[in-house]
Amino acid sequence: MSLAETVDNRVKPLRQARGWSQAELAEAAGLSRTGVSAIEGQRLVPSVAAALALGKALGCTVEELFGGSRADSRPLRFAWPPVAFPCRYWGAEVAGQTWLYPVECGPRGGLGHDGRLEHAAALPAALERASETLVLASCDPAAALLAALYRRRSGLRMLVLTRSSGEALDLLQQGLVHVAGVHLAASDQQRGNLAAVRQRFPGDAALLRVAVWEEGLAFQPAARLKTAGGAARAKLRWIGRNAGAGARRCQDELLGRRPAPRHVARDHRGVVEAIRSGWADVGVCVRLASEEGQLQFLPVATEPYDLCYGRDSADDPRLAALVRVVRSREYRQLLSELPGYQLHNTGDIEEVRGE
């Protein structure tokens, strides 16, 4: 194995996060484009002068750029055990640990699996694009649109795991994802999601505002619902939401002391599918999911939806690229065309100080 193959080379993801071509990086660093290409492809170990020039151009240290020897890196691990083998997986590096994520249903944004394992002892030695993959846990039904735009604008990858707000924050705390999608507060609550994040995430965090969205009741037209109170009093079959979901708070407020629904959906589209399949009459979800499922929608509340990440990882080029994409005109235009998404402070960042 050559020295180039044992160095954790981050030139390419850092360049892509800035939106630069190889030629643009070469010009900024005073190197040739072929030299930059060879360094990125690990066919050439840069000289001290070239490494310093690349670090200066990309605004980082040589240690951050090349990160030492891969021989000292931690072995790959599964984020959680696969249900069965053979198992397809995705791979991503989070806080210095490379995780394998069993492939699951949900928004992929054009992301194919990274490999297939026949048994638990056959873990790969390394993953080529682990340091170029951002992992987002979120229940946002439009997350695939963000992932596709992120890939197109930055050249990096986004892996979206469908999780409730509470589950997403738990994964963030455990160091298994970079970003957690959160909607745990009504729009009239002071400081929005800040209090909920402070309660669930012990360290300093940042909240990147995406939108304020409409949440309410999805139902078949035959139900003829006029008010949320009427829906709660009527003899209807509800599809519930799991504990920790932002929609669960809305559901509990509507049902009060009534027994919780027997059946539970894990996300907004799960609510819609239960109603469309005929074994539920009504449930709480966001307007986008309801309209995509061709259901009627009765608005109940508006909620801020934010992306939460640890402040200690704010300099990660994958997160820097995410902030740029959320603030881009293209993404704002896309959100403005989605039913129920309102551009209130989109792209703003609020700091959350840990207790």
Side-chain angles (χ1 to χ4, degrees):
M1 182 178 291
S2 71
L3 178 60
E5 292 172 337
T6 65
V7 171
D8 188 8
N9 185 329
R10 304 193 72 203
V11 176
K12 183 177 179 180
L14 284 165
R15 171 180 64 77
Q16 292 176 326
R18 284 181 172 266
W20 286 357
S21 65
Q22 288 182 341
E24 288 171 325
L25 174 56
E27 181 178 356
L31 304 174
S32 68
R33 190 202 65 78
T34 55
V36 169
S37 176
I39 291 170
E40 287 189 354
Q42 300 187 33
R43 300 185 302 275
L44 173 67
V45 177
S47 65
V48 172
L52 289 170
L54 287 168
K56 182 177 180 181
L58 292 168
C60 63
T61 66
V62 173
E63 289 76 14
E64 290 170 333
L65 195 55
F66 294 101
S69 171
R70 285 184 184 161
D72 297 329
S73 62
R74 286 176 274 180
L76 276 63
R77 297 170 56 191
F78 271 105
W80 42 82
V83 173
F85 287 94
C87 168
R88 291 179 299 136
Y89 62 84
W90 297 297
E93 175 270 320
V94 183
Q97 172 67 56
T98 299
W99 297 103
L100 301 180
Y101 302 87
V103 169
E104 59 186 55
C105 61
R108 299 187 183 181
L111 182 65
H113 64 269
D114 290 336
R116 183 175 183 268
L117 295 179
E118 296 298 325
H119 50 82
L123 294 179
L127 291 174
E128 181 179 353
R129 301 204 63 187
S131 63
E132 302 174 22
T133 304
L134 179 82
V135 186
L136 164 65
S138 170
C139 67
D140 181 10
L145 300 177
L146 174 60
L149 184 60
Y150 180 82
R151 186 185 186 112
R152 188 168 73 250
R153 291 183 66 98
S154 71
L156 304 171
R157 308 192 307 172
M158 180 183 292
L159 169 59
V160 180
L161 304 172
T162 301
R163 299 292 188 276
S164 69
S165 297
E167 291 170 333
L169 285 172
D170 288 343
L171 292 179
L172 182 65
Q173 181 181 354
Q174 295 166 29
L176 296 175
V177 303
H178 299 99
V179 186
V182 180
H183 68 111
L184 290 169
S187 59
D188 58 353
Q189 285 185 271
Q190 291 187 351
R191 308 303 297 276
N193 290 306
L194 187 145
V197 169
R198 181 175 288 157
Q199 182 180 9
R200 288 174 173 264
F201 187 76
D204 292 346
L207 290 173
L208 173 64
R209 173 59 51 84
V210 176
V212 171
W213 62 24
E214 282 186 282
E215 191 164 66
L217 298 178
F219 56 94
Q220 290 284 8
R224 299 182 179 180
L225 298 179
K226 300 299 182 182
T227 66
R233 292 188 297 270
K235 293 182 179 180
L236 298 172
R237 296 170 299 167
W238 281 69
I239 176 68
R241 293 302 307 274
N242 54 313
R248 176 62 178 264
R249 178 191 54 78
C250 181
Q251 170 194 303
D252 290 346
E253 289 177 357
L254 289 173
L255 293 180
R257 296 184 178 181
R258 285 188 55 180
R262 290 181 56 193
H263 300 291
V264 173
R266 294 190 58 82
D267 58 30
H268 299 285
R269 289 198 171 102
V271 170
V272 170
E273 287 305 310
I275 298 170
R276 283 171 54 87
S277 298
W279 53 273
D281 300 312
V282 62
V284 178
C285 66
V286 295
R287 180 183 286 274
L288 174 62
S290 178
E291 292 197 10
E292 286 182 343
Q294 304 296 301
L295 298 177
Q296 294 292 309
F297 183 78
L298 182 64
V300 173
T302 57
E303 299 178 337
Y305 170 62
D306 299 321
L307 299 180
C308 177
Y309 55 90
R311 288 293 300 166
D312 57 356
S313 61
D315 293 334
D316 189 310
R318 293 166 291 186
L319 282 166
L322 174 66
V323 173
R324 284 196 297 275
V325 170
V326 171
R327 290 176 170 175
S328 69
R329 179 178 300 178
E330 186 175 4
Y331 185 60
R332 291 172 62 87
Q333 178 63 34
L334 186 153
L335 285 181
S336 70
E337 296 171 356
L338 298 179
Y341 285 65
Q342 304 167 19
L343 302 182
H344 287 295
N345 303 318
T346 298
D348 285 1
I349 295 177
E350 183 177 20
E351 292 190 3
V352 183
R353 297 296 180 185
E355 296 182 347

